[in-house]
Amino acid sequence: MARLEELSNQKRSFATGDYLYRSGDRFKSLHAIRSGSFKTRVLHEDGREQVTGFLMAGEIVGLEAISTDIHTCEALAMEDTEVCELPYAKLAELSREIPSLQRHLHKIMSREIVRDQGIMLLLGSMRAEERLAAFLLNLSQRNAIHGMSATQLRLRMSRMEIGSYLGLKLETVSRAFSHFQDEGLIQVKARAVDILALHRLREMVGK
Amino acid sequence: MARLEELSNQKRSFATGDYLYRSGDRFKSLHAIRSGSFKTRVLHEDGREQVTGFLMAGEIVGLEAISTDIHTCEALAMEDTEVCELPYAKLAELSREIPSLQRHLHKIMSREIVRDQGIMLLLGSMRAEERLAAFLLNLSQRNAIHGMSATQLRLRMSRMEIGSYLGLKLETVSRAFSHFQDEGLIQVKARAVDILALHRLREMVGK
DNA sequence: TCGCTATTTTGACATATATCAAGTCAAACG
DNA sequence: CGTTTGACTTGATATATGTCAAAATAGCGA
């Protein structure tokens, strides 16, 4: 990451709701999130939408567009957010010269594939509460990576967005939160979630 | 693809049910399918499994393992299948020398991300029959790419495998097939499917 | 070809989640 | 402060899909 950011010539800032890119936009650069977060979503002709990811600081946005040079999903800031622009042409050129950068780029793309397959597993074979547990554990883990609390989460997304991501309706998400709270697994107050029993959440998703 | 295959030094053959690799195996090479097909699946600790893809001739298997050098899913042949081994180290080296190969490799990985996000959309926001329609259209399209019929499909996978891939139970898949047949959309005879009304299937998935 | 086994279809019924409809709550604003 | 607005929660009910069980069919080895 450090190496990636060094080659960035440009930084950009976004406010909540701003688009980093939209579906159909021409692809030129990847973006590394320095602070803040984005959600990505794909839109269906008939208006349905699916949130495909919530991206945090340190993560790379836009990988899906390399395949066709056109963005196939859109990315919106969920709070004040700053990114480094990583022009793809430059990245490609440099990664031809620096094997470790090449390796790193490959890993980032491959990791995105692994992540997506994990979500496929979640959407294809888990029940509502298991999905939410997996979601919370994932946020917890990524929070911890950034040196933040693994148990105190401040959700940046609405119940509806969580529902879209998890393939559930917002009411179902809300009920699952309430149920977790009744069970003493978490403490919920709107978008502030305190995880009281990490281990029991882990048991729920089978690990 | 042609360029990729040229650099393959080794070909391997598989019979139905043979593993190309298993979860946990060390990653060394990608594999290009010359003929036949694989299914890939991820396993959950508690025994649940999710089929993450059905791969055909011309497609590349193993991309998910680049991220950690360990395979996170497994690939099984669904029929007699031949692959070209593409040693990753060699591929990386060559793609540093040949920009067009580098570009191609990036596109292959990015395309896999796009594919996975399409499946997330399917699993997260489509109903059972829409999923099956999307699945059949996808097979039809890939069949056509290989110069085969876009309407006469010979499924290599069971109803259960289709169900796992689509996040449905096998009975639901079977019922959807039967219903499509009653509606005159397709003609089903076990694993031989004849699409009678491509356009109506397309309408179902909204395009 | 016969018979065995696995796969697929179909039916009756159960259930998880969606839908519809009020409520509640909290932040934002005049 | 009271009002408005959007987000969230909760309840009652509907529905799509899952579950269980049996029958039909297809594929396969002897």
Side-chain angles (χ1 to χ4, degrees):
Chain A
M1 268 310 304
R3 182 167 278 132
L4 275 181
E5 295 201 5
E6 280 164 29
L7 62 83
S8 171
N9 46 10
Q10 217 178 326
K11 302 187 183 8
R12 290 167 65 192
S13 297
F14 297 85
T16 306
D18 286 352
Y19 284 90
L20 172 57
Y21 55 79
R22 294 171 191 252
S23 199
D25 283 0
R26 180 143 206 96
F27 168 71
K28 234 189 59 207
S29 302
L30 296 173
H31 296 270
I33 304 175
R34 293 181 67 82
S35 65
S37 53
F38 288 102
K39 67 169 174 179
T40 55
R41 64 179 180 199
V42 302
L43 299 171
H44 201 98
E45 291 76 5
D46 54 18
R48 273 182 285 198
E49 73 173 67
Q50 171 78 25
V51 172
T52 52
F54 297 113
L55 306 186
M56 302 175 31
E59 300 175 330
I60 304 290
V61 201
L63 297 169
E64 90 291 342
I66 292 174
S67 74
T68 57
D69 280 336
I70 302 284
H71 285 284
T72 55
C73 67
E74 49 190 44
L76 295 91
M78 296 199 295
E79 60 191 307
D80 285 349
T81 298
E82 282 196 333
V83 303
C84 287
E85 187 178 350
L86 307 170
Y88 174 70
K90 198 166 160 188
L91 206 54
E93 192 189 320
L94 271 176
S95 80
R96 262 178 263 133
E97 293 163 18
I98 310 170
S100 67
L101 177 61
Q102 178 197 39
R103 181 94 186 96
H104 192 64
L105 183 58
H106 289 174
K107 284 197 183 205
I108 286 171
M109 290 203 267
S110 179
R111 190 150 43 224
E112 175 66 22
I113 294 170
V114 173
R115 188 186 75 83
D116 290 349
Q117 292 184 349
I119 299 169
M120 285 167 59
L121 176 67
L122 178 149
L123 292 173
S125 62
M126 291 171 68
R127 337 264 237 73
E129 297 198 348
E130 295 170 328
R131 295 183 199 188
L132 186 63
F135 173 70
L136 291 173
L137 287 171
N138 180 258
L139 285 188
S140 159
Q141 197 186 327
R142 285 154 76 198
N143 237 27
I145 286 173
H146 292 294
M148 302 168 73
S149 169
T151 56
Q152 317 233 73
L153 310 177
R154 280 253 295 296
L155 306 182
R156 303 254 103 98
M157 64 297 281
S158 69
R159 299 290 187 264
M160 200 165 97
E161 289 168 327
I162 296 172
S164 172
Y165 182 63
L166 299 179
L168 302 169
K169 294 295 159 177
L170 70 92
E171 293 96 329
T172 304
V173 174
S174 176
R175 279 184 241 270
F177 269 119
S178 299
H179 187 222
F180 283 1
Q181 180 164 252
D182 294 346
E183 296 283 312
L185 295 172
I186 62 176
Q187 180 70 37
V188 191
K189 203 167 157 197
R191 297 191 182 184
V193 176
D194 198 347
I195 300 178
L196 305 175
L198 257 180
H199 59 289
R200 285 174 59 205
L201 282 181
R202 287 207 194 92
E203 283 163 19
M204 284 192 63
V205 303
K207 50 177 172 179
Chain B
M1 267 309 303
R3 182 168 277 134
L4 276 180
E5 295 201 5
E6 280 165 27
L7 62 83
S8 171
N9 46 10
Q10 219 179 327
K11 304 192 181 4
R12 288 168 65 194
S13 295
F14 297 84
T16 307
D18 286 352
Y19 283 90
L20 173 57
Y21 55 79
R22 293 171 193 253
S23 200
D25 284 359
R26 181 144 205 95
F27 168 70
K28 234 189 60 209
S29 301
L30 296 173
H31 294 271
I33 305 176
R34 294 181 65 82
S35 64
S37 53
F38 287 101
K39 68 170 174 179
T40 56
R41 63 180 181 199
V42 302
L43 300 171
H44 201 97
E45 292 75 5
D46 54 18
R48 270 181 289 196
E49 74 172 67
Q50 171 78 26
V51 172
T52 53
F54 297 114
L55 305 186
M56 302 174 31
E59 299 174 332
I60 304 290
V61 201
L63 296 168
E64 90 292 341
I66 292 175
S67 75
T68 58
D69 280 335
I70 302 283
H71 284 284
T72 56
C73 68
E74 50 190 44
L76 296 91
M78 296 198 296
E79 60 190 307
D80 285 347
T81 297
E82 283 196 332
V83 303
C84 287
E85 187 177 352
L86 306 170
Y88 174 70
K90 198 165 159 188
L91 206 53
E93 191 190 320
L94 272 177
S95 82
R96 264 178 260 130
E97 293 164 19
I98 309 171
S100 66
L101 177 60
Q102 178 197 38
R103 181 90 186 99
H104 192 65
L105 183 57
H106 289 175
K107 285 198 181 204
I108 286 170
M109 290 203 266
S110 179
R111 188 150 42 223
E112 175 67 21
I113 294 169
V114 173
R115 189 186 74 84
D116 290 350
Q117 292 184 349
I119 299 168
M120 287 167 59
L121 175 66
L122 177 149
L123 292 172
S125 62
M126 291 171 67
R127 336 266 237 66
E129 296 197 349
E130 294 170 329
R131 295 184 199 189
L132 185 63
F135 173 71
L136 291 173
L137 287 171
N138 179 259
L139 285 189
S140 159
Q141 199 185 327
R142 286 154 75 199
N143 237 27
I145 285 171
H146 292 295
M148 302 169 72
S149 170
T151 55
Q152 318 234 69
L153 309 177
R154 281 254 294 294
L155 306 182
R156 303 255 103 100
M157 63 296 280
S158 69
R159 298 291 187 262
M160 200 166 96
E161 289 168 327
I162 296 172
S164 172
Y165 181 65
L166 299 178
L168 302 168
K169 294 294 161 177
L170 70 92
E171 294 94 329
T172 305
V173 174
S174 178
R175 278 185 242 273
F177 269 120
S178 299
H179 187 220
F180 282 1
Q181 180 163 253
D182 293 347
E183 295 285 310
L185 295 172
I186 63 177
Q187 179 69 38
V188 192
K189 203 169 159 194
R191 298 190 180 185
V193 176
D194 198 346
I195 301 179
L196 305 175
L198 258 179
H199 60 288
R200 285 173 62 203
L201 283 181
R202 288 208 192 92
E203 282 163 21
M204 285 192 62
V205 302
K207 51 177 173 178

